């Protein structure tokens, strides 16, 4: 198969020349004269060409249709293919001229996925793709917190997950983390006290403490206790981190939660949206030794959890009824589209100005 030579070119390419190596190989194998990679920016608002040209912002553009629907789009002899790895949407591959044979286009779709894997691998050795996905410079606090993230979306047979930080180029203390292991999904949503570097450092400390405890095999309440002690050891109660810790059994749908002064969680079930309050316990690091206790919630297939920080609900002045109507409207959307839609609604409300407070939105679908 001709795709073998392209895959070999991808794996052999220098970290900062992956796309160029793919272009040369595809020209020889498929007669495609030009390709370009359009990377999704940090705000999920523009697709930015890696090489040259203006970013794509118009929602009806073929590139955006490809990104939104995660399927190939053919327009004016140009083929657009999603570049996605396990649900993490990196961008869109633009090929011109498009091959006429359906078999060739199918092979190119597989190569676009292979490109996504190579880009993730290459990212540890070059800043090129990270820099190309920015429309402006990040603050140092934002740089730290974006580096903390495991990704922005994840799609597996049993669940779908997506999250977003706002304001994307100047976040302060809000963050999220997740990991999938042995039939269980761990998810944490955090908010470090304060602003700027203080908040970013607090959130970083709590995130790494939670990861350390999780990777040691500790139960959820013990993970919270270890992170609590780590934050208190550094700040003696002067600063703390609010957190919601969740662990989902992907086989049974049993959700275990520890609410340490957490953001708001809403359960969408059978078209009805309702806030699901847990017992609020002390934020991480507030006292020298806090005993945390877990709570249980049984999820059903088709349930959706939406987690919103106070930066969202406060900035938009959402009442319960308007928020529930909006959440029902985005119910049929995939998690990342739902996150984009909610953030877009928030930006429209604010006139596209940056938030005064951090905001985090996380959407989790349980598919069983």
């Amino acid at each position: 198969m001709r795709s073998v030579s392209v895959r070999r070119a991808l794996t052999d390419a220098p970290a900062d020349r992956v796309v160029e190596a793919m272009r040369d190989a595809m020209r020889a194998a498929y007669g495609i004269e030009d390709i370009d990679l359009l990377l999704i920016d940090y705000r999920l608002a523009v697709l930015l060409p890696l090489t040259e040209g203006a970013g794509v912002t118009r929602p009806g553009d073929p590139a955006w249709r490809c990104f939104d629907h995660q399927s190939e789009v053919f327009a004016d002899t140009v083929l657009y293919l999603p570049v996605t790895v396990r649900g993490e949407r990196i961008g869109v591959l633009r090929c011109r001229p498009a091959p006429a044979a359906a078999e060739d286009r199918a092979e190119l779709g597989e190569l676009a996925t292979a490109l996504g894997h190579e880009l993730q691998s290459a990212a540890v050795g070059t800043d090129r793709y990270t820099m190309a996905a920015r429309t402006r410079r990040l603050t140092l606090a934002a740089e730290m917190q974006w580096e903390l993230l495991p990704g922005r979306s994840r799609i597996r047979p049993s669940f779908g997950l997506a999250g977003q930080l706002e304001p994307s180029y100047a976040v302060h203390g809000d963050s999220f983390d997740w990991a999938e292991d042995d039939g269980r999904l761990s998810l944490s949503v955090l908010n470090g006290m304060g602003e700027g570097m203080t908040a970013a450092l607090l959130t970083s400390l709590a995130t790494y403490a939670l990861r350390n405890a999780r990777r040691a095999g500790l139960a959820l309440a013990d993970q919270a206790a270890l992170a609590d002690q780590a934050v208190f050891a550094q700040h003696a109660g002067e600063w703390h981190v609010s957190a919601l810790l969740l662990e989902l059994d992907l086989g049974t749908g049993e959700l275990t939660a520890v609410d340490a002064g957490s953001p708001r969680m809403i359960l969408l079930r059978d078209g009805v949206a309702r806030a699901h309050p847990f017992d609020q316990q002390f934020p991480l690091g507030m006292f020298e030794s806090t005993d945390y206790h877990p709570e249980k919630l049984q999820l059903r297939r088709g349930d959706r959890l939406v987690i919103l920080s106070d930066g969202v609900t406060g900035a938009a002045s959402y009442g319960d009824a308007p928020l529930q109507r909006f959440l029902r409207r985005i119910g049929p959307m995939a998690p990342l589209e739902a996150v984009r839609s909610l953030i877009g609604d928030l930006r429209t409300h604010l006139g596209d100005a940056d938030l005064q407070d951090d905001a985090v939105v996380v959407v989790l679908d349980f598919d069983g």
Side-chain angles (χ1 to χ4, degrees):
M1 292 174 62
R2 290 175 292 174
S3 61
V4 173
S5 63
V6 180
R7 290 176 182 272
R8 187 177 298 115
L10 283 172
T11 56
D12 292 344
D16 62 339
R17 305 294 293 174
V18 170
V19 176
E20 285 78 6
M22 184 180 192
R23 178 197 60 204
D24 295 341
M26 286 176 62
R27 183 178 296 159
Y30 294 94
I32 296 173
E33 290 301 318
D34 188 34
I35 69 167
D36 200 1
L37 175 65
L38 308 178
L39 293 161
I40 187 66
D41 88 309
Y42 283 67
R43 294 189 78 198
L44 295 171
V46 57
L47 289 164
L48 297 166
L50 178 65
T51 53
E52 61 183 17
V56 181
T57 58
R58 185 171 62 86
D61 188 273
W64 271 112
R65 298 206 309 271
C66 173
F67 184 86
D68 288 337
H69 299 295
Q70 289 295 284
S71 59
E72 73 169 46
V73 173
F74 180 73
D76 298 329
T77 73
V78 181
L79 181 65
Y80 298 85
L81 298 163
V83 181
T84 302
V85 180
R86 297 186 180 91
E88 178 68 19
R89 302 187 188 186
I90 298 171
V92 172
L93 184 66
R94 184 168 58 193
C95 309
R96 57 167 79 90
E103 181 181 348
D104 289 346
R105 293 200 298 272
E107 288 183 8
L108 293 182
E110 294 177 1
L111 289 172
T113 300
L115 171 63
H117 284 278
E118 289 301 324
L119 289 172
Q120 286 191 333
S121 176
V124 301
T126 179
D127 290 330
R128 184 187 183 196
Y129 312 109
T130 303
M131 293 166 60
R134 302 177 179 186
T135 59
R136 63 180 187 266
R137 182 177 177 179
L138 271 68
T139 64
L140 178 55
E143 188 85 53
M144 292 172 59
Q145 288 190 244
W146 279 106
E147 288 294 319
L148 273 180
L149 297 185
R152 250 190 318 213
S153 58
R154 185 82 163 172
I155 301 294
R156 308 306 296 152
S158 53
F159 72 91
L161 179 62
Q164 175 67 1
L165 307 179
E166 286 289 326
S168 304
Y169 290 85
V171 290
H172 305 129
D174 285 11
S175 188
F176 54 85
D177 191 30
W178 65 63
E180 178 190 5
D181 184 59
D182 196 26
R184 307 186 77 83
L185 173 68
S186 299
L187 170 64
S188 58
V189 182
L190 306 97
N191 181 12
M193 181 181 175
E195 299 180 355
M197 286 298 298
T198 300
L201 288 168
L202 271 170
T203 300
S204 298
L205 173 60
T207 299
Y208 283 118
L210 289 169
R211 287 176 179 173
N212 178 258
R214 185 183 72 225
R215 292 164 182 172
L218 300 185
L220 196 64
D222 294 330
Q223 295 175 29
L226 188 147
D228 172 64
Q229 293 165 14
V231 175
F232 186 87
Q234 289 295 315
H235 301 286
E238 184 177 357
W239 302 93
H240 57 262
V241 179
S242 299
L244 176 63
L245 311 182
L246 303 174
E247 186 176 87
L248 176 61
D249 186 315
L250 297 171
T252 67
E254 183 181 69
L255 183 75
T256 305
V258 171
D259 183 340
S262 74
R264 184 179 186 184
M265 190 182 88
I266 299 169
L267 170 64
L268 277 80
R269 174 178 289 170
D270 299 329
V272 177
R274 60 173 65 91
H276 188 90
F278 294 108
D279 292 336
Q280 284 207 345
Q281 303 173 66
F282 291 122
L284 306 177
M286 182 171 281
F287 299 106
E288 185 172 5
S289 180
T290 301
D291 290 328
Y292 292 95
H293 64 269
E295 299 178 73
K296 302 290 185 179
L297 172 64
Q298 184 62 47
L299 297 186
R300 306 174 189 167
R301 288 189 65 180
D303 281 354
R304 165 169 286 182
L305 300 179
V306 180
I307 303 168
L308 307 171
S309 71
D310 55 5
V312 177
T313 54
S317 301
Y318 279 122
D320 283 343
L323 178 58
Q324 290 187 19
R325 283 196 300 270
F326 180 78
L327 292 176
R328 287 196 298 271
R329 191 168 76 245
I330 65 174
M333 299 180 182
L336 190 62
E337 272 85 51
V339 167
R340 283 184 60 217
S341 183
L342 200 154
I343 291 293
D345 184 69
L346 184 61
R347 290 188 189 128
T348 299
H349 177 82
L350 297 174
D352 211 39
D354 272 348
L355 299 170
Q356 296 304 307
D357 188 15
D358 275 8
V360 63
V361 178
V362 175
V363 172
L364 169 61
D365 288 349
F366 175 61
D367 300 316

